[in-house]
Amino acid sequence: MKNRLRDLRAAKGWSQGDLADALGVSRQSINALETGKFDPSLPLAFRIARLFSKRIEDIFDDGLGAMKRAAE
Amino acid sequence: MTPHAELPVPEVTYKGANRRYRRIFIPVMTFYVVFCFVGPLLMMLYEGAPPIWLMATVGVISGVPIAVVFWLIGRYLRETDEFTRQIQLDALLPAAGITLSLAVIWGFLELYLVVPRAKIFSPMIMVGPAFFFFYSMTFTAQRILRGESLKDVPHIGTRER
């Protein structure tokens, strides 16, 4: 699943380690999320969204959201 | 500003789970290694055959640390983050399957007298070490098959800087 995690983290000036500590996960988890190798569970997706004060669909894109917007 | 101030950190984190794992694993494994030598020495104190109660006690105490490590792995998997849990389970489950399959095959070979019944050093003692050996193999194989780094991996009990 595509996501904007790397951009959002960079905009805040945080390292992967900073973000990992804030979410209580490993730094490797953040790397796997940012590279799209791992999709978060719903609770983790909510924690990420709340951390950046955004909605889940503003950060994660399963492809259907973009298709829906294009259709509109 | 770091993100810490903006979100409450979960009760048990990846780092917390690793810390809690190490806190028990290190003393338990130290005890295991020491007792593997102390146990036989205790039995050698007796002239002739040691009493059965002593042999049974030494036998059980020698194996308990391995059981504690399995419990620790289970607790770690519950407490750590979901990505670490997934990649560890991907390695642990095939390792358990391989170890148990080989143990069953060995058992049938013993039953049909293809292999001799070990009298000095039971193969059953090797089941625990074999599991951890196959775990290291399946873990490495998973990373290679996925084309991922062997270095940048969250290991059980690791001390991340």
Side-chain angles (χ1 to χ4, degrees):
Chain A
M1 192 180 290
K2 288 180 183 175
N3 66 74
R4 298 173 50 217
L5 203 52
R6 190 186 296 271
D7 295 339
L8 293 168
R9 176 177 63 76
K12 295 262 189 186
W14 297 338
S15 67
Q16 286 187 340
D18 289 334
L19 183 55
D21 286 347
L23 295 168
V25 302
S26 62
R27 185 185 49 72
Q28 292 87 349
S29 300
I30 300 300
N31 189 49
L33 284 166
E34 288 186 352
T35 52
K37 290 178 179 170
F38 177 70
D39 293 331
S41 65
L42 204 48
L44 180 56
F46 269 115
R47 289 222 304 278
I48 293 169
R50 287 193 180 118
L51 181 64
F52 290 107
S53 304
K54 296 200 177 293
R55 296 178 307 164
I56 289 176
E57 54 267 45
D58 293 335
I59 302 174
F60 297 95
D61 184 4
D62 64 351
L64 297 176
M67 285 166 63
K68 193 177 172 187
R69 280 195 296 277
E72 288 168 0
Chain B
M1 185 174 68
T2 64
H4 310 285
E6 297 186 19
L7 195 76
V9 175
E11 251 177 56
V12 181
T13 62
Y14 167 73
K15 284 185 177 176
N18 280 336
R19 204 163 35 242
R20 278 161 57 80
Y21 180 87
R22 280 197 307 271
R23 203 175 289 159
I24 296 181
F25 178 82
I26 293 170
V28 163
M29 275 297 101
T30 304
F31 173 82
Y32 173 70
V33 171
V34 170
F35 199 77
C36 278
F37 293 97
V38 171
L41 284 176
L42 282 175
M43 290 192 279
M44 283 165 65
L45 291 177
Y46 282 83
E47 284 182 25
I52 187 74
W53 65 263
L54 180 63
M55 290 193 287
T57 306
V58 169
V60 170
I61 291 175
S62 300
V64 163
I66 299 299
V68 171
V69 170
F70 282 116
W71 168 76
L72 265 181
I73 291 173
R75 188 182 75 170
Y76 178 82
L77 291 175
R78 283 193 302 277
E79 291 181 350
T80 194
D81 67 76
E82 56 199 60
F83 173 68
T84 304
R85 186 181 307 122
Q86 180 186 303
I87 64 170
Q88 292 297 339
L89 282 174
D90 281 350
L92 286 165
L93 291 178
I98 292 169
T99 309
L100 294 175
S101 301
L102 288 178
V104 170
I105 290 168
W106 183 273
F108 275 110
L109 290 175
E110 262 195 14
L111 184 68
Y112 299 134
L113 305 176
V114 178
V115 293
R117 199 173 289 269
K119 288 178 182 169
I120 299 171
F121 196 71
S122 167
M124 293 305 287
I125 293 176
M126 296 310 294
V127 168
F131 169 75
F132 291 108
F133 170 76
F134 288 126
Y135 160 62
S136 68
M137 293 293 107
T138 51
F139 190 87
T140 305
Q142 297 268 5
R143 309 304 297 176
I144 292 171
L145 288 173
R146 292 175 188 173
E148 292 169 0
S149 164
L150 286 171
K151 287 181 183 173
D152 199 25
V153 182
H155 289 286
I156 296 177
T158 194
R159 194 189 297 269
E160 194 173 292
R161 289 175 203 89

